[in-house]
Amino acid sequence: MVLFAAGLGGGTSVTFDSQDFRRIVLEGTGSLVISKDSKKVEEINNVNDLKGLFTSALAANSLHDPIALQETDENGVTQFAKVHHVGLLGVLDKKLENMGSFFLDEAKNELIEKLPLSGTVFSGYLQDKHDFRVSAYTFYKVEALPQHLAKGLVKEYEEFVQKQKAVSYR
């Protein structure tokens, strides 16, 4: 798996490693979100394009349906789902070796502004032969459920309450 290939090619001196991934997966409770977005090297022209790749990966979810990180109730009050540690890993083809690592700082700053984060952001990137592609991986754990599951549980609970009301006890 690409996560733990920090010894290959170039990249950041402090790379997102297996211990960081372990913290994301094991600390806190909730749903694990792992996502990836990828583009051809020719589509990346500057640091903003790389940052945007992480932003679009963050909005996706490779494991299950999307999870709403913020919701507004009927009274207009916005509530946020608690997000634990976040990991960002970039895999860049060698053709982009002139980009540096500034894109990671930019991506981290944008992520911190967008997410109700309660933990640390781990980040790193690898630079090696990558079929002339750039890939952005994001990992985090959030105290929320996928939207379809959350709606299903609410409906199931409402049905349970109706059944309990229909039962008469002595």
Side-chain angles (χ1 to χ4, degrees):
M1 187 171 189
V2 76
L3 285 175
F4 312 115
L8 303 174
T12 51
S13 57
V14 178
T15 303
F16 181 88
D17 65 13
S18 61
Q19 291 303 314
D20 298 335
F21 186 69
R22 179 181 169 92
R23 283 186 72 186
I24 291 168
V25 172
L26 297 179
E27 287 186 14
T29 58
S31 301
L32 178 64
V33 178
I34 298 177
S35 56
K36 172 188 173 188
D37 197 3
S38 190
K39 287 186 176 182
K40 294 178 183 178
V41 170
E42 295 82 26
E43 296 176 40
I44 304 296
N45 298 312
N46 54 40
V47 171
N48 287 330
D49 291 343
L50 285 171
K51 181 181 76 171
L53 199 59
F54 279 102
T55 304
S56 63
L58 191 65
N61 190 337
S62 299
L63 296 178
H64 39 71
D65 286 346
I67 294 175
L69 297 178
Q70 81 179 49
E71 292 181 345
T72 305
D73 65 11
E74 57 274 352
N75 298 327
V77 177
T78 301
Q79 296 179 332
F80 295 92
K82 186 176 183 180
V83 176
H84 299 284
H85 305 294
V86 176
L88 304 174
L89 178 67
V91 182
L92 286 66
D93 192 272
K94 282 196 177 251
K95 285 182 85 174
L96 292 176
E97 61 190 354
N98 62 341
M99 285 287 185
S101 63
F102 184 67
F103 70 92
L104 276 176
D105 295 332
E106 289 288 312
K108 282 171 64 172
N109 290 338
E110 188 165 319
L111 180 135
I112 289 168
E113 287 179 21
K114 286 186 174 190
L115 292 179
L117 186 62
S118 69
T120 309
V121 178
F122 303 105
S123 64
Y125 76 97
L126 301 172
Q127 204 158 25
D128 208 352
K129 291 182 180 178
H130 189 50
D131 294 328
F132 304 105
R133 297 198 64 76
V134 177
S135 297
Y137 297 88
T138 61
F139 314 85
Y140 63 93
K141 209 165 196 184
V142 59
E143 290 185 12
L145 293 170
Q147 291 174 339
H148 82 282
L149 184 58
K151 288 178 184 174
L153 288 176
V154 169
K155 184 176 179 182
E156 190 175 314
Y157 175 74
E158 289 170 352
E159 289 174 359
F160 170 76
V161 168
Q162 291 300 324
K163 286 180 185 176
Q164 290 299 313
K165 287 180 181 177
V167 175
S168 64
Y169 295 100
R170 288 191 242 178

